[in-house]
């Protein structure tokens, strides 16, 4: 790609060094390839909508976000429900979806930066924080430019990111000079580099081929005098400027930063069309999101998070030991225990090992054409056990799907509105306190004999099952099935 001249030798030399470094090290975490694919789908080609649909469908997370946006109050007509990406592309337009995709990809790439607390990682996390702030403010303002503003906010400090990632020695030199002259790095940079940090970001955006609208939205814009007309491009630039400044002030989660954020909210309120107190509410929500998404920002309390993660890991390791011990007991008893005893040991093991709120064993009664819960552990089991009965005739719900597929099913969020139709009435009437649950089908000779069920209520943090745990659960149900098959064989011989 050709290098554009800045008009001064020092600036040209800085950019030449920068482009050489990008060629040598590769584009800053994987941006170029992902961005070019998204931009290609946004461009006005004959099959533009098809290309965008294909791009979206290649990413399950993006697909979910696009459908959610298309069905949001800002876009969906009354009573309309959009279930296909093709329709969503028509409703939202390729630009809005392209900006959503770019924002998602930027967050993914920036969040996946080196785990070391280097200057570049700090700048990348600040960029993610700026995007989170912009998203919350745009939602509060009910703006259709929200996705574009998120991208511009994350790219607002692109110059700093490029410099810290590709030219760290020059960045440290700038920091030293700024400290010596008692000024900020923005002020000293043109003197040492021949161009400002925002100009480096602008040059990088041109280098990547970003659309003119995004580049325009990346510019720094102070709030104008009250009463003037605000164009959409100025609104985006104003929000990206404010969001980047908020990210800088929020980073350390201290009183000085909080005061600076309040001043920013007052200054940009009229321009953004949102009352200062509502801006502050949006920023508080952004802090909550950021505390979960960031890793090294003081705002995210990384030391506290690491301690909790370590405690969860130790707890999970202890749970796996319980599963392993239970499996060992089942293997010892495989030749002497009947199927009911094996089911009870398996159910007790998963109840303790995975810390279920409830654990239940359902047995299929072919004579009555029903599944019924026979034993259980946990909250209110004795009261609800008689109600846990359903027909074995196939119904399009998650339980019959699990039994037909004969594989362990883990439902992370049973409260998801889109998942509601897959939950049977008997579950809603008895077990709906569950937030997450697991189904372990028990099939012998291709026929369902029953299943084990376990769930977690809201008193538990978000649940994730590891591949190790899935493997242990599969080993456990295989032993139960062996006991069932053994009983069938014995019954056949006795006849």
């Amino acid at each position: 790609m050709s290098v554009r001249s800045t008009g001064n030798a020092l600036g040209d030399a800085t950019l030449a060094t920068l482009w050489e470094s990008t060629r040598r090290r590769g584009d800053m975490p994987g941006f170029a390839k992902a961005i070019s694919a998204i931009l290609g789908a946004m461009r006005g080609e004959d099959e533009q909508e098809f290309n965008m649909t294909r791009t979206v469908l290649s990413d399950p997370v993006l697909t979910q976000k696009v459908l959610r946006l298309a069905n949001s109050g800002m876009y969906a007509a009354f009573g309309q429900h959009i279930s296909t990406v093709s329709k969503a592309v028509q409703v939202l337009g390729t630009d809005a979806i392209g900006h959503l995709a770019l924002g998602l990809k930027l967050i993914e790439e920036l969040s996946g930066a080196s785990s070391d607390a280097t200057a570049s990682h700090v700048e990348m996390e600040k960029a993610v924080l700026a995007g989170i702030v912009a998203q919350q403010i745009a939602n509060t303002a009910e703006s259709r430019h929200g996705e574009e503003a998120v991208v511009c906010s994350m790219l607002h400090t692109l110059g700093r990111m490029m410099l810290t990632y590709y030219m760290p020695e020059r960045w440290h030199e700038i920091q030293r000079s700024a400290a010596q002259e008692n000024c900020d790095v923005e002020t000293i940079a043109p003197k040492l580099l021949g161009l400002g940090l925002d100009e480096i970001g602008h040059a990088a955006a041109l280098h990547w081929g970003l659309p003119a609208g995004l580049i325009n939205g990346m510019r720094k814009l102070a709030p104008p005098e009250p009463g003037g007309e605000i164009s959409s491009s100025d609104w985006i630039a104003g929000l990206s400027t404010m969001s980047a400044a908020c990210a800088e002030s929020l980073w350390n989660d201290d009183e000085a930063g909080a005061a600076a954020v309040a001043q920013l909210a007052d200054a940009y309120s009229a321009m953004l069309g949102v009352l200062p107190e509502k801006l502050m509410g949006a920023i508080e929500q952004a802090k909550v999101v950021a505390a979960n998404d960031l890793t090294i920002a003081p705002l995210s309390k990384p030391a506290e998070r690491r301690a909790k993660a370590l405690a969860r890991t130790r707890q999970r390791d202890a749970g796996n030991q319980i599963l392993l011990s239970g499996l060992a007991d089942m293997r010892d008893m495989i030749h002497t225990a009947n199927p009911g005893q094996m089911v009870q040991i398996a159910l007790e093991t998963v109840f303790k090992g995975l810390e279920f709120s409830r654990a239940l064993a359902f047995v299929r009664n072919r004579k009555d054409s029903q599944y019924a819960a026979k034993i259980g552990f946990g909250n209110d089991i004795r009261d609800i056990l008689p109600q846990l009965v359903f027909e074995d005739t196939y119904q399009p719900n998650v339980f019959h799907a699990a039994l037909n597929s004969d594989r362990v099913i883990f439902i992370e969020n049973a409260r998801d509105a889109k998942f509601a139709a897959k939950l049977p009435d008997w579950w809603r009437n008895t077990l709906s306190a569950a937030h997450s649950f697991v189904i372990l089908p028990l099939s012998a000779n291709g026929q369902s004999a029953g299943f084990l069920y376990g769930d977690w209520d809201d008193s538990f943090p978000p649940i994730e099952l590891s591949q190790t745990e899935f493997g242990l659960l599969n080993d456990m149900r295989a032993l139960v099935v062996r006991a069932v098959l053994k009983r069938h064989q014995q019954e056949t011989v006795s006849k």
Side-chain angles (χ1 to χ4, degrees), residues 16-87:
T17 303
L18 185 61
W19 306 147
E20 175 57 31
S21 182
T22 61
R23 282 190 292 272
R24 192 172 62 251
R25 293 189 58 183
D27 276 290
M28 188 172 63
F31 283 174
K33 185 177 179 182
I35 287 174
S36 62
I38 295 166
L39 294 180
M42 289 173 69
R43 293 191 181 104
E45 301 161 356
D46 291 340
E47 296 182 333
Q48 184 184 22
E49 289 184 356
F50 172 76
N51 288 335
M52 182 58 76
T53 299
R54 185 174 56 191
T55 300
V56 171
L57 287 173
S58 67
D59 186 334
V61 176
L62 180 57
T63 298
Q64 183 184 26
K65 286 183 176 289
V66 164
L67 291 175
R68 189 182 302 151
L69 181 63
N71 285 292
S72 68
M74 285 190 292
Y75 290 96
F78 183 76
Q80 182 183 27
H81 179 74
I82 297 167
S83 57
T84 65
V85 171
S86 298
K87 178 66 173 175

Side-chain angles (χ1 to χ4, degrees), residues 339-417:
Q341 290 169 326
M342 292 292 280
V343 165
Q344 184 159 333
I345 296 171
L347 193 67
E348 181 183 348
T349 299
V350 296
F351 177 66
K352 292 179 179 177
L354 295 178
E355 298 184 287
F356 285 133
S357 301
R358 298 188 188 93
L360 296 151
F362 286 75
V363 175
R364 185 181 189 182
N365 184 324
R366 294 183 185 279
K367 182 179 176 182
D368 297 335
S369 302
Q370 288 181 333
Y371 288 93
K374 295 300 182 183
I375 57 172
F377 301 102
N379 305 333
D380 306 322
I381 287 298
R382 189 169 295 179
D383 295 334
I384 65 173
L385 209 60
Q387 305 170 56
L388 298 172
V389 180
F390 63 95
E391 301 297 320
D392 67 1
T393 306
Y394 179 80
Q395 297 291 328
N397 63 55
V398 66
F399 287 88
H400 280 289
L403 296 172
N404 278 11
S405 67
D406 191 29
R407 62 188 181 91
V408 176
I409 298 291
F410 169 52
I411 303 303
E412 184 177 0
N413 182 11
R415 310 276 177 79
D416 188 334

